[in-house]
Amino acid sequence: MPEFTVNRRSLLLAGLGAAGAGLLAACSDSPAAPPLVDPSGSPVARAEAARGATGRERPVTVTATADTVDLGGGTTARTWTFGSLPGTPVRTTAGDTLVATLNNHLPDPTSLHWHGLALRNDMDGVPPVTMRPVAPGGSFTYRFVTDRPGTYWFHPHVGVQLDRGLYAPLIVEDPKEPLGYDEEWVVVLDDWLDGVTGTPDLAFAELRKGMGGGGSGGHDMGGHNMSGNSNSNSSNSNSSNSKGGGSKGGGAGSFMLMGATSALLGGDAGDVRHPHHLVNGRIADDPEAYRSAPGRRVRLRIVNAGADTAYRLALGGHRLTVTHTDGYPVRHEEVDALLVGMGERYDVLVTLQDGVFPLTALAEGKNAAGRALVRTGAGEAPAAAFRPAELNGRILAATDLRAAEEAGLPKRTPDRTHRIELTGGMAKYDWALNGRPFDMADPAARPFLVGAGERVRLEFVNRTGMWHPMHLHGHTFQVGDDGPRKDTVIVLPGRTVVCDFEADNPGQWMTHCHNAYHGEAGMMGLLAYRA
């Protein structure tokens, strides 16, 4: 099986040459586009200087390389990683300057995107918009102030490389931490196919062929669900070790998932058949065990690094107190389970009981799960197929939260509103914004324009039959009037989610669906500041 396939984006990026600090300013020279702030221009430098750097530097080296990883239980996979799965967490303190050198030992160009951070535009890691790609054998040093405490992560922004093993947490610690807890556990969730049933590039090539047989193109409300179930997550769901990658049921090929439905997600749950679901790089049959003691208060920092899967997360025998989402504090809520979309993060507090408990990440609507174990005493671990009752208790989504008082935006009438319709469907696999797939060859052809200092409203209007986790680079928005501050938000089929943000970080920024395959197909756009 080939290690990778060449596609249009790979050819484009390879043609751009080795990495460098220079920007693709020509992207803003399209006749259809007004002058835009250059990602390395003086407004960007001024915004960075205003971030209140402490003068401390945090140097790290990240090496992207082909590797064979042990997923547990005798299962190995040939993939690409940052040296481990997940990559080693990077930690800074608010105000520190991160100096991160990426060494590319891969056969393809790559980059690092620092997901969720409001950083200087030319360090955002998005070829060809903000930088040249890092060529095979090349290196690039990212340098920026990490001024906002929170749980973040980093990953490539090239093709569907996210669906390999190229990701790691980034934790920005608060020097005035207001929460009280004894320990911290970083939990990274992921759906996995690379090196097991093929590669993400092969999966994307198959998906791009679509399902055929009609469909309504830009406004496909039908999705691709073939079952009548409202939610396939039952108590007797199969474990995540169940192989299903070779099925061709319903006319689909080996990568296309059929019949995945979820009431929580409004219907269609996903496109891609992932044979494994991982918690911290381990399959459910051979999970990681977090060891502690009864009565200890633990902060969980939860990251969904998956490409196509929302997870319903619960810790058996415990309730979770939600304190943050996407790095910003919320009014504390006690819940049984969380719904976590791709790209979203949650911080929760839990006081541990005595025994052995499963942390279960149910692949929402997909009849599978990942898991880890919490061990604080004697006892046998439940079977991999066990589903704790908390999964069907009080389940929280981000739109149920309210921003903490210090995190909310001041009330203000928007100066500018962009209505962004999410369009496309599985029939033609033509996912797009406002009916137009993003053009990587001319990214600034039709930008969503903003002006510095404006209050901007984004109205995400889902015209498709599937849910989409919409992500905005370089900013955080407030969901609704008093909802949480976030950078990634789930938009259900047929729904509209209104998000406001302050245009206080000049440059050229992506907004896109964080389903890796939808984004690569064209469900992304450029939000750009006028020069």
Side-chain angles (χ1 to χ4, degrees):
M1 187 168 292
E3 182 67 26
F4 66 98
T5 59
V6 177
N7 55 33
R8 177 171 176 269
R9 179 191 277 241
S10 296
L11 291 171
L12 171 65
L13 294 178
L16 291 173
L23 278 264
L24 302 186
C27 291
S28 62
D29 292 340
S30 166
L36 306 177
V37 169
D38 187 290
S40 286
S42 56
V44 173
R46 287 195 297 270
E48 179 75 352
R51 295 192 202 281
T54 61
R56 295 187 303 266
E57 293 189 354
R58 173 70 169 95
V60 298
T61 299
V62 178
T63 300
T65 186
D67 196 9
T68 297
V69 296
D70 179 7
L71 303 178
T75 300
T76 61
R78 186 67 177 171
T79 187
W80 299 349
T81 74
F82 294 142
S84 62
L85 187 69
T88 302
V90 171
R91 289 183 177 269
T92 72
T93 299
D96 289 355
T97 297
L98 182 63
V99 183
T101 298
L102 169 64
N103 295 320
N104 183 10
H105 294 177
L106 303 174
D108 268 8
T110 193
S111 74
L112 294 181
H113 166 58
W114 308 91
H115 183 113
L117 289 175
L119 74 174
R120 57 177 299 144
N121 190 213
D122 52 3
M123 297 291 110
D124 195 39
V126 182
V129 177
T130 68
M131 65 176 290
R132 298 181 184 275
V134 183
S139 64
F140 181 78
T141 298
Y142 297 83
R143 184 185 182 92
F144 56 89
V145 178
T146 57
D147 67 334
R148 179 71 208 180
T151 301
Y152 306 98
W153 62 302
F154 56 95
H155 59 81
H157 218 282
V158 174
V160 288
Q161 292 181 7
L162 171 62
D163 205 15
R164 294 183 185 260
L166 298 168
Y167 55 81
L170 171 62
I171 310 301
V172 181
E173 296 176 336
D174 190 342
K176 300 179 181 178
E177 178 58 63
L179 295 180
Y181 53 93
D182 303 307
E183 304 169 6
E184 187 176 293
W185 185 24
V186 180
V187 175
V188 182
L189 314 176
D190 189 24
D191 44 19
W192 192 270
L193 63 82
D194 195 32
V196 178
T197 55
T199 68
D201 292 303
L202 292 173
F204 183 64
E206 179 183 290
L207 292 166
R208 286 291 281 170
K209 297 175 184 177
M211 292 182 64
S216 54
H219 297 280
D220 180 3
M221 290 298 293
H224 64 290
N225 301 318
M226 300 298 174
S227 78
N229 298 333
S230 63
N231 193 330
S232 62
N233 288 322
S234 62
S235 60
N236 61 352
S237 298
N238 295 329
S239 78
S240 68
N241 203 31
S242 174
K243 304 286 195 300
S247 171
K248 297 183 182 296
S254 60
F255 297 104
M256 190 176 290
L257 181 65
M258 306 295 290
T261 58
S262 163
L264 288 178
L265 296 175
D268 190 344
D271 298 342
V272 183
R273 186 184 303 278
H274 286 89
H276 297 295
H277 295 274
L278 310 181
V279 178
N280 288 345
R282 307 290 294 184
I283 63 174
D285 284 348
D286 189 7
E288 175 185 74
Y290 180 81
R291 299 180 184 275
S292 187
R296 300 285 283 177
R297 192 164 175 81
V298 181
R299 179 180 191 165
L300 276 68
R301 295 183 182 265
I302 301 159
V303 178
N304 184 350
D308 181 71
T309 306
Y311 289 100
R312 192 192 308 189
L313 185 79
L315 178 60
H318 296 76
R319 302 202 82 198
L320 309 174
T321 299
V322 182
T323 64
H324 295 72
T325 182
D326 292 2
Y328 277 78
V330 297
R331 300 178 192 174
H332 291 192
E333 291 279 355
E334 191 174 74
V335 301
D336 296 297
L338 294 168
L339 180 66
V340 191
M342 296 85 78
E344 287 190 297
R345 291 91 62 212
Y346 284 91
D347 290 28
V348 303
L349 294 176
V350 60
T351 301
L352 298 180
Q353 305 300 311
D354 188 3
V356 182
F357 308 95
L359 180 76
T360 301
L362 199 64
E364 185 64 31
K366 294 187 174 184
N367 199 31
R371 70 167 185 159
L373 297 175
V374 174
R375 289 186 174 272
T376 63
E380 292 293 325
F386 175 77
R387 301 291 181 260
E390 286 79 8
L391 289 169
N392 294 312
R394 186 187 181 205
I395 304 168
L396 189 80
T399 49
D400 300 319
L401 293 167
R402 294 294 175 264
E405 184 176 354
E406 68 273 20
L409 290 177
K411 300 298 182 184
R412 178 179 169 189
T413 301
D415 302 297
R416 186 184 302 270
T417 298
H418 285 294
R419 181 181 175 89
I420 302 177
E421 295 194 355
L422 317 182
T423 59
M426 282 296 294
K428 299 179 181 178
Y429 216 77
D430 54 353
W431 305 108
L433 299 183
N434 293 338
R436 293 181 178 273
F438 185 70
D439 186 357
M440 187 57 65
D442 192 8
R446 295 178 179 272
F448 299 108
L449 294 173
V450 301
E454 292 181 339
R455 171 68 63 85
V456 181
R457 173 163 293 176
L458 303 180
E459 296 178 345
F460 292 115
V461 183
N462 191 347
R463 298 295 190 189
T464 80
M466 188 175 177
W467 70 285
H468 302 283
M470 295 305 297
H471 174 50
L472 175 63
H473 289 210
H475 304 77
T476 59
F477 45 70
Q478 183 157 17
V479 181
D481 290 334
D482 61 353
R485 289 284 296 278
K486 289 182 64 64
D487 53 73
T488 308
V489 66
I490 291 174
V491 186
L492 297 179
R495 301 286 183 87
T496 296
V497 176
V498 176
C499 304
D500 289 359
F501 71 92
E502 298 284 0
D504 57 4
N505 198 17
Q508 301 178 34
W509 304 98
M510 303 304 299
T511 183
H512 62 93
C513 177
H514 221 274
N515 182 309
Y517 296 92
H518 292 183
E520 183 64 6
M523 189 173 271
M524 62 172 66
L526 185 71
L527 187 144
Y529 284 64
R530 290 180 179 271

